[in-house]
Amino acid sequence: MEAGELDRRLGATWSTPPGLWGALSTVDHKIIGRRYIVTAFVFLALGGVLSLLMRLQLAQPEARFIGPDRYNQIFTMHGSNMMFLFAVPVMQAMAIYLVPLMVGTRHIAFPRLNAFSYWMYLAGGLLLWIAFAVDTGPDVGWFAYVPLSGPQYAAGKRADIWAQMITFTEVSALAIAVEIVVTVFKQRAPGMSLDRIPLFVWSMLVTSFLVILAMPAIMIASTSLILDRLVGTHFFNPAEGGDVLLWQHLFWFFGHPEVYIIFLPAVGMVSSIVATFTQRPVFGYLAMVMALIATGVLAFGLWVHHMFVAGLPRLGESFFTASSMAIAVPAGLQIFCWLATIWAGRPIFKAPFLFVIGFIVVFVIGGLTGVMVASVPFDTQVHDTYFVVAHFHYVLVGGAVFPLLGAVYYWFPKLTGRMMSESLGRWSFGLIFSGFNLTFFPMHILGLQGMPRRIYTYQPEMPWAGLNMFISLSGIILAAGFLLFFIDAIRSARSGPIAPANPWGASTLEWATSSPPPSYNFARLPVVESLEPLSDRADPLGFVEGLHTDRREVLITSVVEARAEARESSVGNSIWPLLAALATSAMLIWSIFTPWAVVWGSIPIAIALIGWFWPKGDPEDES
């Protein structure tokens, strides 16, 4: 079949209808991925505004810019927003868009579940921010320790809204994790055996397993909290046989792996950028994969280092100190592999690569302070001080945000079909890198001087005023860098230079199709013969024939060798995921006010699910 006729037929089969109906019913993973990314960056901007408000309040002693009640809401919103509405979702959003392209398939697995996950995520975010706008925002910290978040000390609905927001975002995250695992294992292009999977895909695969194993813990914790508050159970009430430390164990069993849920995708992003801008494969592919898996395993063995001051047995403290320090080994191995690649390659210092350099510097500092707080005596001294604030911002911003910004510059042509500005990218990097270090490095000193975290003001006689003013002014530089980034992204998406299919000369499959990709991703599914499919061949890629063009089909391959096994139908656009998300959201929000919402709210959910799964008489899958 001629290429033009093939494109026309596939476009008619896979495209999203125009207009509002198409926007609400689409299951195209690229459209949903872009929505996720844009929404997550909107939440990043909102969270950034909250951090500036906190810095204005703390710039001077005894300031009256924000009262204590509103300040508690603001720092709770900042942490919850950044962790649950930005950091984790944006990493998964990048995977939703990129993984199907990188493994050479036409669609993500479970596309309707993918659409459902976005609507649930959006509803959870709106719940949190609308509550904050009407002065009912949560005020118990993003960790919501009991008993302070329990019925005895947290009257009203603020803690309930926080707990239910967790349910929204975790349902969304778990759905995406399942989609990624199945897509990677069963929909890879023929020939893409396990040792030919791109490192970004490996990173998202390990991350997805972390999500599946860790996030149920926080869902159990938040649901138990809701039950204690609304139904009168006693999971965390010691007077009735409960245990407040149970909350900390459940929360941090999720909370520390969450750091790696955010960090591991960044490892994949950095590896992709380093390979492209040094013009050589990443040094030590097998070692990188092993380090990813080791980090994922070790991530579950160190949650107790957040509880060193909670009064745990000495033997437990020793074990978790050792495991906390041990995780520096795979992280150090990854840093070594990147440095070796840069050393042996021919680096091109464009904006994406500059953010990677910034990441390495900032993350190494965060890693070193991480080894420090892994020690029980040191952690006891700096616990709940600004030293810890500085440490986790170096780890999370250095480990995730710098690579993410570099990834946006790198994959922006694939996302939008246009290029971002190189000069604005350099300015943005310079402002963000300098503003970040000037803002957060002095917090180490504040912490060593004893300034507690989460306080809304301090006395003039404390020796903290000068550094706090300096940090607040530096925060403006950091904010200016992000503002420049947003301006560049919005301007470039509308009027940036048109991007070719592969503007950077990269070697992975997402660059084998046009920018942006068509609705069907690839007119002919590629066949992979090496780890660098676009670099190791002088002639065009081989391709697969035989899939239908008049109905949606994906190719199913074997787990290890990616050998073609079957053709499988892929569902079309549907409004039912949106309706199911609306019904579920209504039930979850209603349940904050009455337990009967679970009973009556299940009826519309059941109707939506019946419509979702109602058989349409599609032809059976063919081997």
Side-chain angles (χ1 to χ4, degrees):
M1 186 182 298
E2 294 293 329
E5 176 63 14
L6 181 61
D7 289 337
R8 188 191 65 76
R9 291 190 183 186
L10 288 171
T13 302
W14 287 87
S15 62
T16 296
L20 180 61
W21 182 261
L24 298 178
S25 63
T26 184
V27 295
D28 187 328
H29 75 93
K30 298 179 292 300
I31 295 175
I32 294 169
R34 281 197 296 265
R35 284 180 184 169
Y36 253 115
I37 294 168
V38 171
T39 308
F41 271 99
V42 169
F43 286 130
L44 169 67
L46 292 172
V49 171
L50 294 181
S51 66
L52 284 177
L53 293 176
M54 285 190 286
R55 288 317 314 171
L56 283 173
Q57 167 66 19
L58 294 173
Q60 293 180 308
E62 293 191 333
R64 295 292 181 264
F65 178 65
I66 303 172
D69 178 69
R70 199 62 170 171
Y71 188 87
N72 284 345
Q73 288 188 59
I74 288 176
F75 88 74
T76 300
M77 286 289 295
H78 174 73
S80 303
N81 177 84
M82 291 304 199
M83 297 300 285
F84 296 107
L85 299 180
F86 168 67
V88 174
V90 78
M91 294 301 184
Q92 291 189 306
M94 295 293 284
I96 288 172
Y97 190 95
L98 290 169
V99 165
L101 293 168
M102 295 180 88
V103 302
T105 183
R106 283 187 174 148
H107 217 333
I108 197 168
F110 312 124
R112 289 184 180 176
L113 184 64
N114 193 33
F116 173 79
S117 73
Y118 172 75
W119 297 121
M120 288 295 293
Y121 160 65
L122 181 63
L126 290 176
L127 167 67
L128 188 68
W129 278 94
I130 290 173
F132 177 68
V134 297
D135 199 21
T136 317
D139 57 355
V140 290
W142 78 276
F143 39 85
Y145 279 172
V146 292
L148 295 180
S149 61
Q152 184 178 0
Y153 295 102
K157 295 298 179 185
R158 291 176 172 179
D160 303 308
I161 288 170
W162 180 89
Q164 232 28 344
M165 183 273 297
I166 296 295
T167 306
F168 278 96
T169 55
E170 304 314 326
V171 166
S172 170
L174 284 168
I176 300 172
V178 171
E179 296 158 16
I180 296 299
V181 169
V182 176
T183 303
V184 174
F185 276 152
K186 295 303 295 180
Q187 292 186 201
R188 303 197 307 275
M192 185 180 282
S193 50
L194 290 180
D195 58 350
R196 294 174 180 170
I197 295 179
L199 286 172
F200 177 75
V201 177
W202 265 116
S203 73
M204 288 311 310
L205 183 63
V206 176
T207 300
S208 297
F209 277 110
L210 259 67
V211 170
I212 292 170
L213 295 172
M215 289 210 168
I218 186 64
M219 291 185 70
I220 291 170
S222 63
T223 303
S224 301
L225 177 61
I226 286 249
L227 291 173
D228 272 13
R229 293 178 56 84
L230 301 180
V231 187
T233 56
H234 301 286
F235 289 104
F236 306 117
N237 181 5
E240 299 292 339
D243 190 345
V244 291
L245 278 186
L246 173 63
W247 172 269
Q248 291 194 40
H249 281 294
L250 288 171
F251 184 86
W252 289 117
F253 184 80
F254 144 80
H256 206 88
E258 189 187 25
V259 173
Y260 299 98
I261 289 170
I262 297 167
F263 170 65
L264 289 181
V267 171
M269 294 172 179
V270 169
S271 297
S272 298
I273 295 171
V274 166
T276 298
F277 288 91
T278 58
Q279 306 173 66
R280 60 152 295 160
V282 172
F283 177 81
Y285 172 85
L286 181 59
M288 289 291 288
V289 173
M290 292 296 105
L292 284 167
I293 296 172
T295 303
V297 173
L298 288 171
F300 287 99
L302 40 80
W303 81 91
V304 170
H305 80 219
H306 292 272
M307 302 167 60
F308 280 158
V309 298
L312 298 172
R314 292 292 181 193
L315 181 62
E317 291 179 347
S318 302
F319 172 81
F320 286 100
T321 291
S323 59
S324 300
M325 292 183 176
I327 205 163
V329 175
L333 181 62
Q334 290 157 355
I335 297 284
F336 171 77
C337 289
W338 291 322
L339 292 178
T341 308
I342 295 170
W343 182 265
R346 291 166 291 169
I348 301 172
F349 290 91
K350 288 188 174 288
F353 193 66
L354 291 178
F355 278 102
V356 166
I357 300 297
F359 149 77
I360 292 175
V361 173
V362 173
F363 183 73
V364 166
I365 296 174
L368 291 175
T369 55
V371 174
M372 294 167 70
V373 296
S375 164
V376 174
F378 187 84
D379 182 78
T380 304
Q381 291 295 313
V382 300
H383 185 78
D384 268 349
T385 71
Y386 262 79
F387 188 94
V388 178
V389 178
H391 160 65
F392 74 69
H393 278 88
Y394 262 86
V395 171
L396 292 177
V397 179
V401 177
F402 273 91
L404 177 66
L405 296 180
V408 171
Y409 274 95
Y410 179 60
W411 278 301
F412 195 83
K414 192 55 62 182
L415 287 158
T416 66
R418 296 181 181 274
M419 304 292 291
M420 292 181 75
S421 166
E422 178 63 24
S423 59
L424 289 181
R426 290 172 180 269
W427 273 102
S428 175
F429 165 74
L431 288 170
I432 291 174
F433 183 77
S434 58
F436 174 82
N437 284 287
L438 292 172
T439 299
F440 289 101
F441 195 84
M443 289 186 187
H444 292 103
I445 302 170
L446 274 180
L448 293 174
Q449 290 178 343
M451 181 171 171
R453 60 200 286 198
R454 305 174 193 131
I455 57 172
Y456 90 103
T457 191
Y458 48 92
Q459 301 300 314
E461 57 267 25
M462 304 305 293
W464 305 330
L467 272 179
N468 270 302
M469 175 61 77
F470 179 79
I471 290 169
S472 297
L473 293 174
S474 301
I476 296 173
I477 300 174
L478 179 60
F482 276 101
L483 180 63
L484 196 60
F485 168 80
F486 283 119
I487 291 173
D488 188 17
I490 295 170
R491 184 197 63 83
S492 300
R494 301 179 61 180
S495 58
I498 300 296
N502 189 1
W504 310 116
S507 60
T508 41
L509 282 183
E510 76 273 25
W511 302 102
T513 184
S514 60
S515 299
S519 56
Y520 42 90
N521 289 355
F522 302 92
R524 292 183 170 89
L525 295 185
V527 173
V528 174
E529 297 177 355
S530 70
L531 180 60
E532 306 277 333
L534 301 191
S535 297
D536 295 344
R537 289 178 63 97
D539 52 335
L541 288 169
F543 55 84
V544 178
E545 288 191 285
L547 293 181
H548 283 279
T549 58
D550 57 349
R551 63 186 176 94
R552 298 185 177 200
E553 278 189 341
V554 294
L555 186 66
I556 303 300
T557 52
S558 60
V559 173
V560 177
E561 297 175 340
R563 187 177 60 256
E565 291 183 333
R567 310 183 306 199
E568 184 175 83
S569 299
S570 184
V571 297
N573 300 314
S574 170
I575 198 67
W576 289 110
L578 171 60
L579 297 179
L582 288 174
T584 309
S585 301
M587 185 271 286
L588 290 176
I589 295 172
W590 190 12
S591 69
I592 293 174
F593 302 95
T594 171
W596 282 102
V598 178
V599 178
W600 297 112
S602 61
I603 296 174
I605 294 175
I607 294 171
L609 291 179
I610 290 171
W612 180 334
F613 292 104
W614 193 263
K616 302 295 190 301
D618 291 334
E620 294 184 358
D621 303 334
E622 301 173 43
S623 298

